[in-house]
């Protein structure tokens, strides 16, 4: 039996309570005792971590994850990465997530058909470290929509970012193919996307096509996620029981009413970081604020902020994550979403942190095992130097995330980096790496 005791820590337990001083005892994969000071846990036979008042919290869940997005500035640059290198990229970036405190993740679409499935299986088998992962399909799309990269003179499906379908029977075939590959859920692009040339308020799929996807998913016991920026696409999600709604920027009052009436069945992961950073942080890659405004992203950010504030007030579940893995929002900086939730959606810091922890357990379909520090829960634990409730940016600083445990196994344990530590620089954050991985990581980012 392996025992760990965290003593004298400030415990953010994910229940909604304010943090309190106390101890936490872990045995094997489970939390067995949470003691509020002055009560103490038994430490006999345990490795003891003296907290010195540091912040202990549940592992976070990234609800809209694209591990195969390779920190490049375009969809084509992501798609054209050769499959062998692409798989190695996924393995490396999954480790980066775990080291940043993301112990669970929802695949929001893979750039190639089996990347998510192979990665999930390797993590589950203990071959490589990474978050607990639910694997998604490629994006199921239609002709001319987001994910269709074919050209008139080169109509080859291998060029496309997604699985291009037209009509219910092609949707059925695509769904069954991905289910054969072993995905946990399917992904469909129900709305447009400015960067792909189709307006975000456009909804290119017919009702019959969406109904077919939903029926096939339910037949095989799979969930569905949807790229759904337009109001009509959000309504399609509710009408057809699509559980994971990504973006929902332009949800009108009718769509909000529908989501609220079914809020026990749906999750919204808006990917607001994409709107913020594409509007204000992508100038180096040719998308200045003026260009982003012309494309429509600045307006979408303004509209989405209003829609999401209304969702939050209605009690609709909103979770962090989405579209990290582009050059101007690289993997590992995902916790920026938590501050965006405060700034744009009106959440308190505590609500933002609960969206990443307690709600994460719900979207992972393990609400009684993940997302909280309670006796009987899985030991997914993060130790932070500092108080994220006072400064959420701490969760973007790898030096402040001093210990990460998943399933009772410690995957990261560090102190404040010394001048000799190898580090990878990403958007102002230093990611300490094991020596053997430094050259490969730097080469990947060059």
């Amino acid at each position: 039996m392996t025992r760990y005791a965290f003593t004298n820590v400030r415990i953010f337990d994910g229940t909604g309570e304010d943090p309190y001083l106390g101890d936490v005892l872990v045995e094997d994969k489970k939390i067995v005792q949470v003691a509020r000071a002055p009560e103490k846990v038994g430490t006999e036979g345990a490795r003891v971590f003296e907290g010195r008042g540091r912040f202990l919290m549940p592992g976070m869940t990234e609800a809209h994850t694209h591990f195969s997005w390779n920190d490049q500035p375009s969809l084509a640059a992501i798609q054209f990465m050769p499959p062998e290198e692409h798989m190695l990229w996924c393995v490396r970036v999954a480790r980066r997530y775990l080291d940043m405190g993301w112990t669970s993740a929802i695949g929001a679409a893979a750039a190639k058909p089996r990347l998510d499935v192979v990665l999930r299986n390797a993590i589950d088998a203990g071959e490589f470290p990474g978050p607990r992962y639910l694997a998604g399909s490629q994006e199921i799309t239609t002709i001319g929509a987001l994910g269709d990269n074919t050209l008139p003179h080169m109509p080859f499906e291998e060029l496309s970012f997604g699985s291009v379908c037209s009509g219910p029977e092609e949707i059925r075939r695509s769904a069954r193919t991905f289910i054969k590959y072993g995905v946990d859920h399917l992904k469909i692009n129900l709305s447009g996307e400015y960067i792909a040339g189709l307006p975000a308020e456009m909804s290119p799929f017919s009702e019959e096509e969406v109904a077919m996807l939903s029926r096939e998913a339910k037949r095989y016991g799979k969930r569905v996620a949807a790229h759904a920026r337009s109001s009509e696409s959000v309504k399609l999600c509710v009408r057809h029981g699509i559980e994971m709604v990504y973006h929902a920027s332009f949800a009108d009052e009718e769509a909000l009413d529908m989501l609220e009436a079914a809020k026990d069945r749906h999750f919204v992961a808006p990917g607001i970081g994409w709107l913020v950073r594409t509007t204000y942080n992508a100038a180096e890659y040719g998308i200045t604020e003026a260009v982003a405004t012309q494309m429509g992203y600045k307006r979408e950010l303004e509209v989405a902020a209003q829609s999401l504030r209304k969702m939050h007030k209605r009690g609709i579940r909103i979770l962090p994550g989405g579209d990290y893995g582009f050059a101007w929002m690289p993997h590992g900086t995902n916790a920026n979403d938590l501050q965006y939730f405060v700034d744009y959606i009106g959440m308190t810091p505590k609500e933002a942190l609960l969206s990443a922890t307690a709600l994460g357990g719900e979207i992972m379909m393990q609400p009684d095992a993940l997302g909280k520090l309670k006796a009987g829960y899985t030991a997914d634990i993060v130790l932070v130097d500092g108080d994220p409730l006072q400064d959420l940016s701490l969760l973007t600083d790898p030096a402040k995330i001093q210990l990460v445990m998943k399933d009772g196994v410690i995957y990261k344990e560090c102190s404040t980096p010394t001048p000799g530590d190898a580090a990878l620089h990403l958007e102002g954050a230093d990611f300490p790496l094991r020596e053997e991985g430094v050259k490969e990581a730097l080469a990947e980012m060059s």
Side-chain angles (χ1 to χ4, degrees), residues 322-340:
D323 294 328
Y324 284 85
F326 278 87
W328 51 90
M329 47 188 301
H331 291 295
T333 64
N334 310 59
N336 279 318
D337 263 24
L338 302 181
Q339 187 62 52
Y340 299 148

Side-chain angles (χ1 to χ4, degrees), residues 218-443:
K218 288 176 172 57
R219 188 191 313 277
Y220 290 92
K222 304 295 183 180
R223 295 192 294 177
V224 182
H227 173 94
R229 294 190 182 278
S230 69
S231 187
E232 177 57 26
S233 64
V234 174
K235 296 171 191 176
L236 283 167
C237 288
V238 179
R239 286 200 296 268
H240 296 284
I242 293 175
E243 295 89 348
M244 292 173 284
V245 182
Y246 291 153
H247 306 300
S249 303
F250 292 100
D252 61 17
E253 289 299 320
E254 182 184 11
L256 293 173
D257 289 343
M258 292 170 68
L259 272 176
E260 183 179 9
K263 62 186 178 183
D264 60 330
R265 298 197 298 273
H266 297 279
F267 301 90
V268 175
I272 195 168
W274 166 259
L275 299 177
V276 175
R277 301 196 70 80
T278 301
T279 301
Y280 296 113
N281 299 88
E284 181 182 351
Y285 305 95
I287 306 177
T288 63
E289 184 176 343
V291 170
T293 301
Q294 184 179 19
M295 293 173 75
Y297 282 117
K298 189 170 186 178
R299 172 177 171 264
E300 184 177 351
L301 175 59
E302 294 168 353
V303 173
Q306 296 174 16
S307 298
L308 291 164
R309 281 176 180 267
K310 293 175 182 177
M311 285 185 212
H312 177 51
K313 289 177 181 177
R314 290 168 178 246
I316 295 164
R317 294 175 291 186
I318 302 172
L319 291 86
D323 294 328
Y324 284 85
F326 278 87
W328 51 90
M329 47 188 301
H331 291 295
T333 64
N334 310 59
N336 279 318
D337 263 24
L338 302 181
Q339 187 62 52
Y340 299 148
F341 278 16
V342 173
D343 295 341
Y344 290 93
I345 305 178
M347 289 189 186
T348 65
K350 183 202 286 188
E351 288 172 333
L353 204 53
L354 287 170
S355 75
T357 53
L359 289 187
E362 294 180 20
I363 198 171
M364 290 296 294
M365 300 184 291
Q366 297 188 54
D368 298 320
L370 299 177
K372 296 177 184 176
L373 301 184
K374 293 179 64 177
Y377 274 61
T378 299
D380 286 7
I381 295 174
V382 178
L383 181 66
V384 183
D385 184 14
D387 185 353
L389 296 180
Q390 298 300 316
D391 182 5
L392 286 165
S393 72
L394 294 174
L395 296 175
T396 68
D397 184 350
K400 298 298 184 182
I401 299 174
Q402 299 199 322
L403 181 143
V404 178
M405 172 183 285
K406 187 191 91 172
D407 276 330
V409 176
I410 295 172
Y411 286 93
K412 175 182 179 180
E413 182 182 355
C414 68
S415 57
T416 303
T418 63
D421 284 341
L424 169 64
H425 188 70
L426 276 179
E427 292 285 305
D430 293 317
F431 290 75
L433 300 172
R434 284 159 182 74
E435 183 178 353
E436 64 270 19
V438 174
K439 291 181 181 178
E440 292 86 347
L442 290 173

